[in-house]
Amino acid sequence: MVDTQRLMSRKMDIDRPCAARIYDAFLGGSHNFGVERRFVERAEAELPGITEVYRDNRAFVRRAVEYLLAHGVHQFLDLGSGIPTIGHVHEVARRRTSEFRVLYVDNEPLTVAHSRSLLDDEPRAAIIEADCRDPESVLRSPEAEALIDFDRPVALLMSAVLHFVPDRDSPAALVETYRKALAPDSHLAITHLTADHDPATAGTMERFYAETADPLVARSARWIDALFGDFEVVPQGTSHVTDWRPDPDQASAVPRYRVVHGGLARKPG
Ligand SMILES: C[S@@+](CC[C@H](N)C(=O)[O-])C[C@H]1O[C@@H](n2cnc3c(N)ncnc32)[C@H](O)[C@@H]1O
């Protein structure tokens, strides 16, 4: 049983850095404050080049969305979306088609407020303030009902969000609930912090985020892969995000830090 009272209790907090604005600061966006920019400076001082990890994750999302559009999936439910700038889902989609729908979901109030104003002139995309740990509040929201047809394939994106869901909130069971709500040919994309290849860097990131409004936890690639359940993983399988269907000009690039694992999978018919 989801404790919705606890999940709804997140208040606006601009004194501590938050994950959404930290990510925006790493991507070079303008929706962040001094606390987040100082976080980036400290992280870069301890882990030079760590900015690439964030850009590589966002590049994974872009390639996943391009793959999905090319395979006829035009509806996107993006949980833990952050601020939808710097090449996010609707920006990628509208370069390819006018037939898309995107529902962004985030639980950080100011992120949602910023995003709402950014999406004002885009009727095919919306954002709701909701906690992904409460699937009912997402799937039964008026915005989901207006934008997304759950009888047709949907791309569920859970990129760099599940590492913010602690074990006590049963992340695997949560993902299963979402998987069950999707029609055949829907897809699930996941990226997640892992300590498998570079435990020192993953440990440093956990330590850094422990002081933010959004502590995170690294998990094993094996644990992350199990989240796909009976969905069929898209070739070439799951991997470090930079190895996942890289752009031809990026295929030989060697990342400095290997701390984000992910992939994309399809719900069988
Ligand atoms: C690192 S950003 C990822 C942004 C985007 N998904 C991407 O990969 O490019 C993580 C986002 O998840 C959000 N988040 C964390 N926990 C959440 C929760 N329980 N429900 C909804 N959003 C959450 C944060 O506010 C933040 O905006």
Side-chain angles (χ1 to χ4, degrees):
M1 185 72 178
V2 181
D3 178 355
T4 44
Q5 279 306 103
R6 177 168 64 84
L7 303 188
M8 287 307 292
S9 63
R10 183 164 187 165
K11 299 275 182 297
M12 202 177 291
D13 173 0
I14 55 170
D15 296 327
R16 285 184 301 168
C18 78
R21 287 187 290 277
I22 290 170
Y23 195 66
D24 181 71
F26 273 115
L27 294 181
S30 54
H31 300 278
N32 51 75
F33 300 127
V35 281
E36 284 88 22
R37 293 193 284 277
R38 282 194 290 283
F39 179 99
V40 170
E41 278 165 24
R42 279 190 289 116
E44 268 292 335
E46 197 157 330
L47 299 169
I50 194 69
T51 297
E52 279 167 28
V53 168
Y54 294 79
R55 299 197 172 157
D56 288 342
N57 184 72
R58 179 50 68 83
F60 166 92
V61 175
R62 193 238 324 133
R63 296 195 303 280
V65 170
E66 286 171 347
Y67 175 98
L68 289 158
L69 291 166
H71 287 79
V73 183
H74 290 157
Q75 307 189 91
F76 298 87
L77 178 56
D78 184 1
L79 304 182
S81 58
I83 301 154
T85 56
I86 328 277
H88 211 17
V89 181
H90 73 287
E91 295 175 336
V92 178
R94 73 179 164 204
R95 287 202 290 267
R96 310 264 155 170
T97 176
S98 56
E99 300 296 315
F100 69 87
R101 298 282 182 278
V102 184
L103 182 61
Y104 293 116
V105 177
D106 209 282
N107 71 341
E108 204 285 311
L110 198 54
T111 295
V112 174
H114 273 145
S115 305
R116 275 214 179 100
S117 63
L118 288 167
L119 295 171
D120 247 3
D121 60 349
E122 179 47 88
R124 296 161 295 186
I127 186 161
I128 56 168
E129 184 181 333
D131 196 302
C132 72
R133 293 171 291 179
D134 181 5
E136 282 283 302
S137 72
V138 173
L139 299 169
R140 305 274 163 258
S141 64
E143 293 84 350
E145 290 189 355
L147 266 180
I148 307 284
D149 178 356
F150 285 99
D151 293 330
R152 293 180 40 237
V154 171
L156 178 66
L157 311 179
M158 301 186 88
S159 168
V161 64
L162 288 166
H163 43 227
F164 297 110
V165 178
D167 290 344
R168 67 176 173 143
D169 289 327
S170 312
L174 174 70
V175 177
E176 187 181 2
T177 303
Y178 282 107
R179 285 200 320 265
K180 283 187 177 154
L182 301 177
D185 285 329
S186 290
H187 286 65
L188 170 62
I190 296 174
T191 70
H192 194 299
L193 183 71
T194 185
D196 282 12
H197 313 291
D198 184 351
T201 301
T204 304
M205 292 184 74
E206 285 180 332
R207 176 163 55 78
F208 267 103
Y209 275 85
E211 290 164 23
T212 72
D214 297 290
L216 51 62
V217 57
R219 296 188 173 104
S220 71
R222 196 165 161 191
W223 185 94
I224 298 161
D225 287 352
L227 297 173
F228 291 110
D230 62 351
F231 280 30
E232 293 162 354
V233 174
V234 162
Q236 311 290 324
T238 63
S239 62
H240 185 260
V241 284
T242 53
D243 295 333
W244 191 84
R245 307 180 74 90
D247 295 327
D249 61 334
Q250 287 293 314
S252 59
V254 181
R256 201 177 317 190
Y257 303 104
R258 298 179 75 80
V259 288
V260 189
H261 181 82
L264 178 66
R266 178 185 146 273
K267 183 163 182 166

